[in-house]
Amino acid sequence: MKIIIAKNAGFCPGVNNAINKVIELSEHSTKKIYTLGQLIHNNDVIKNLEERGIVAVNSISEINDIKTSILVIRAHGIPPELEEKIKESGIEYVDATCPLVKNAHRIIKEYSEKGYTTIILGDKEHAEVIGLKGYAGDNCFVISSVEEAEKLPDIEKANLVSQTTQEEELFERVVNILTPKIKELIISNTICTPTKLRQKETIEFSKIADIVVVIGGKHSANTQRLYQICKDMSKEAVLVENENDITDDLFKDKNTVFITAGASTPAWLISGVEKKIRGIIYKENIFRKFFKFIVASGIFTGFAALGLISVVYKSFKTSPDIKFAISLSLVLMAAHIINRSSEKEANENNFRKTIFLKYNREIRYIAYISIILSILLSLNSGILYTILILLFALPAMVYRKIKKSLKISAIKDIFITLGWVYIICFIPAISLHKLSSPIFYSNILLIFTASLIRNIFIGILQKKNDMIITNEYIYFCLGEKRTFKLLYIILLVLLFISIPYCRYFSIPILFLPVYYFIMIFMMKKGKSPDIILSEFLIELPFFAIILV
Ligand code: SF4
């Protein structure tokens, strides 16, 4: 059976921007964050935002603590009178209206000021349409069907606009009806480009699929519209909110499945549904499940750390004390696991979420046992090393509790990178009495750059999967373009630093930066594999270096 995943499924840029804005505010501001209406129609994301203390209100009157609150206007936009009211109330507010919706506001305002009647094709009750109407004044009609277009009275001159998520085909049919009816008709097709691309792709693949799976909130207008297109175009279509709605019998006697999703559906929900379907069709074998467990649980990170520790020892032309090296890698692995397992469940990729929900206790035990083992093994080398390891382990264990009070941008990437440098470079250098050696400083640069690349990649992966990342990540703080620029700079530094290491590892060490250049290229092209395999590929060279 063939599975086709829509390229344009998942958060649209407008939704993405609104979510980023509220999260940034909740991280930076001491004020309470409210959104005017639900930010998006997706229960999993709403639940996650609520856990961050972000509350949706239907009206400003529901907010008692005006002085200590920030109100966020969501991507749908609002009518100008309501914006005036918000200003008058004195509450601090942030406008996250999508620029494409704002463009529709501008067009409506421009023509209505010139005396044109505004005709909006959209759902009367939808928040975006209510906002659009506000810019048209009283001289406005809202229609939602061909029949309603036919019933419009005679109008001298009109401006036809559309809700941004409207069906293209319906818009064209309405244009055909209104063109002979209205003497001077301005056709302003304000359906946004992300919606057009989504619909075009949906029509194309719905025609060839035996079944179409549409993922999205049942109350989301754009998901409903997408579902309607699929129903009309395909042999069979189902609307599901998440993987729990998928049943085996849906795929009996089917050859092609097309999976698509509304603009408010995060990629991790799509990936969850895809995995469930793949599981039904292909029945995952035990080795693949084991591989995923090793990577998703963070155990592979321990092996990756061990690889880098061996690099440091080799650079000092000595072999590592195996017990000591294992104790160092165990503490890094434990910190990684604790950090991952305490991330919010709705924020997580489906497979990882499954692992941490199903085995959360067991995985935490692995982390605690790793720390105990690390301490016991380090005692073998002396109490000083146990103390040095604890100096890292203790803050790492409470990181999630203290990070909010630290209020430092990119804190997570910085903390992990410095933690890796401390454990992998600093502690071995002390044990070998090499703190004054120039090699110690070049090791710091090497591990710092390698670890920073790893952490930035992980941030990008999370964001590409529509997980809700915060300003803890460099990617969140810098945005896509600047993050990739930064990655290129770090890779050049890594390439430069790697050259002297050819003495210990011969030429293959230079493949490390080249390998990451290829990964960036694939990521930018959107061709990276699923998040679990991608994480494995990011850490693979660290581990593979042991073999060189
Ligand atoms: S659907 Fe289009 S107009 Fe609406 S928020 Fe998304 S990108 Fe903006």
Side-chain angles (χ1 to χ4, degrees):
M1 188 187 283
K2 194 174 169 195
I3 298 176
I4 305 166
I5 316 279
K7 277 201 193 105
N8 297 294
F11 285 169
C12 66
V15 165
N16 214 2
N17 172 54
I19 290 177
N20 284 350
K21 272 195 177 149
V22 287
I23 290 177
E24 199 175 348
L25 285 169
S26 76
E27 293 283 325
H28 283 301
S29 176
T30 49
K31 291 188 173 180
K32 176 107 184 126
I33 311 300
Y34 292 94
T35 61
L36 195 55
Q38 284 194 338
L39 213 53
I40 58 170
H41 296 121
N42 184 287
N43 291 336
D44 290 293
V45 177
I46 293 298
K47 195 173 137 214
N48 185 282
L49 295 176
E50 280 170 3
E51 282 168 4
R52 292 167 188 272
I54 299 160
V55 177
V57 289
N58 291 319
S59 139
I60 195 163
S61 59
E62 289 174 39
I63 305 171
N64 299 323
D65 42 350
I66 292 275
K67 287 220 155 50
T68 53
S69 306
I70 298 178
L71 182 68
V72 179
I73 298 170
R74 58 187 170 171
H76 301 317
I78 54 170
E81 314 86 67
L82 185 54
E83 194 168 346
E84 271 313 305
K85 259 193 195 169
I86 293 171
K87 277 184 194 159
E88 281 163 17
S89 75
I91 192 169
E92 185 181 344
Y93 76 99
V94 172
D95 188 357
T97 306
C98 175
L100 301 173
V101 175
K102 276 195 184 275
N103 183 46
H105 291 169
R106 188 190 52 74
I107 293 170
I108 293 173
K109 190 165 179 267
E110 183 188 328
Y111 283 99
S112 94
E113 280 172 359
K114 287 180 187 164
Y116 286 78
T117 300
T118 306
I119 302 171
I120 302 169
L121 176 64
D123 305 333
K124 290 181 184 69
E125 307 300 326
H126 193 279
E128 183 194 319
V129 175
I130 294 170
L132 295 178
K133 239 178 112 187
Y135 283 85
D138 295 334
N139 193 9
C140 172
F141 294 93
V142 180
I143 55 169
S144 57
S145 64
V146 170
E147 292 73 33
E148 286 179 19
E150 279 163 349
K151 283 185 200 148
L152 279 174
D154 288 341
I155 300 169
E156 197 62 27
K157 53 181 196 175
N159 174 29
L160 172 68
V161 294
S162 170
Q163 187 177 342
T164 54
T165 51
Q166 195 52 259
E167 259 181 74
E168 275 260 77
E169 202 239 331
L170 176 61
F171 186 79
E172 278 161 25
R173 279 162 64 203
V174 168
V175 168
N176 289 338
I177 289 165
L178 296 186
T179 306
K181 261 181 95 142
I182 298 170
K183 269 195 200 150
E184 201 185 321
L185 180 68
I186 305 291
I187 300 162
S188 307
N189 185 342
T190 46
I191 300 172
C192 71
T193 308
T195 299
K196 284 180 186 166
L197 290 174
R198 197 183 303 262
Q199 289 180 1
K200 188 169 170 264
E201 182 184 43
T202 302
I203 292 169
E204 185 184 331
F205 290 112
S206 292
K207 285 180 187 163
I208 57 165
D210 294 311
I211 182 165
V212 182
V213 179
V214 183
I215 313 159
K218 297 208 164 122
H219 302 294
S220 156
N222 72 73
T223 301
Q224 283 293 346
R225 214 162 277 127
L226 204 65
Y227 175 52
Q228 198 51 52
I229 296 175
C230 297
K231 259 176 50 177
D232 295 344
M233 295 287 166
S234 67
K235 294 177 196 148
E236 188 179 344
V238 283
L239 173 59
V240 299
E241 289 213 317
N242 53 44
E243 74 274 12
N244 299 328
D245 297 338
I246 298 287
T247 52
D248 293 25
D249 52 309
L250 283 172
F251 306 99
K252 257 187 205 148
D253 307 321
K254 305 284 190 323
N255 290 320
T256 311
V257 183
F258 174 52
I259 303 174
T260 186
S264 50
T265 310
W268 46 267
L269 260 182
I270 302 168
S271 139
V273 170
E274 181 200 342
K275 279 183 188 120
K276 177 94 179 259
I277 296 174
R278 283 193 193 280
I280 291 170
I281 298 170
Y282 304 121
K283 300 280 178 224
E284 253 185 357
N285 68 39
I286 184 96
F287 293 109
R288 188 160 165 77
K289 277 188 185 160
F290 179 70
F291 163 75
K292 282 174 149 189
F293 179 82
I294 294 291
V295 179
S297 63
I299 294 171
F300 187 69
T301 302
F303 288 107
L306 198 58
L308 290 182
I309 291 165
S310 81
V311 170
V312 166
Y313 275 92
K314 262 196 182 175
S315 71
F316 290 124
K317 296 198 173 98
T318 173
S319 356
D321 168 353
I322 295 297
K323 281 187 197 164
F324 189 49
I326 291 176
S327 86
L328 296 177
S329 60
L330 278 175
V331 75
L332 284 177
M333 182 185 96
H336 178 80
I337 293 176
I338 290 169
N339 181 32
R340 276 286 157 87
S341 72
S342 57
E343 281 170 356
K344 297 276 182 271
E345 63 180 78
N347 191 21
E348 276 297 331
N349 163 276
N350 191 270
F351 181 74
R352 196 189 305 287
K353 175 177 143 187
T354 311
I355 284 209
F356 280 113
L357 286 184
K358 199 167 168 190
Y359 302 109
N360 199 15
R361 214 161 31 143
E362 290 84 344
I363 285 178
R364 277 178 174 261
Y365 283 152
I366 293 177
Y368 296 135
I369 291 169
S370 302
I371 290 182
I372 294 168
L373 268 177
S374 169
I375 290 168
L376 291 176
L377 288 170
S378 66
L379 279 172
N380 200 44
S381 306
I383 187 76
L384 169 69
Y385 301 105
T386 310
I387 294 169
L388 289 174
I389 285 174
L390 281 173
L391 281 178
F392 167 76
L394 295 176
M397 284 169 80
V398 294
Y399 163 76
R400 294 213 75 78
K401 293 203 169 65
I402 58 169
K403 59 148 190 171
K404 201 159 183 176
S405 52
L406 293 175
K407 288 198 187 316
I408 301 171
S409 296
I411 176 79
K412 186 171 186 169
D413 287 343
I414 295 169
F415 182 81
I416 297 175
T417 304
L418 293 180
W420 278 52
V421 169
Y422 172 76
I423 293 285
I424 295 172
C425 295
F426 187 69
I427 299 184
I430 290 182
S431 78
L432 297 170
H433 308 288
K434 297 284 188 190
L435 281 182
S436 54
S437 159
I439 297 171
F440 165 61
Y441 296 100
S442 81
N443 281 344
I444 287 183
L445 257 179
L446 181 79
I447 303 302
F448 181 84
T449 46
S451 166
L452 191 57
I453 289 167
R454 167 196 179 267
N455 298 326
I456 295 176
F457 267 138
I458 287 175
I460 296 174
L461 269 185
Q462 306 233 20
K463 189 63 199 166
K464 293 267 177 215
N465 282 274
D466 286 348
M467 292 175 201
I468 297 174
I469 66 166
T470 63
N471 72 331
E472 292 172 276
Y473 292 89
I474 286 173
Y475 185 79
F476 184 95
C477 301
L478 295 185
E480 180 159 328
K481 267 193 187 159
R482 282 189 291 170
T483 303
F484 279 117
K485 268 188 197 158
L486 177 68
L487 265 178
Y488 285 131
I489 294 169
I490 303 170
L491 277 177
L492 281 176
V493 176
L494 182 64
L495 182 65
F496 186 67
I497 308 164
S498 304
I499 295 169
Y501 283 81
C502 292
R503 272 179 292 166
Y504 320 113
F505 301 95
S506 68
I507 299 296
I509 188 90
L510 297 179
F511 285 130
L512 189 64
V514 176
Y515 177 89
Y516 285 130
F517 268 120
I518 296 170
M519 279 204 82
I520 295 180
F521 180 76
M522 301 299 278
M523 267 185 180
K524 285 183 93 173
K525 290 256 165 214
K527 290 200 171 142
S528 44
D530 70 42
I531 189 162
I532 301 291
L533 186 54
S534 294
E535 273 195 35
F536 169 76
L537 291 174
I538 289 168
E539 290 179 338
L540 180 65
F542 297 171
F543 175 64
I545 233 159
I546 298 179
L547 311 171
V548 178

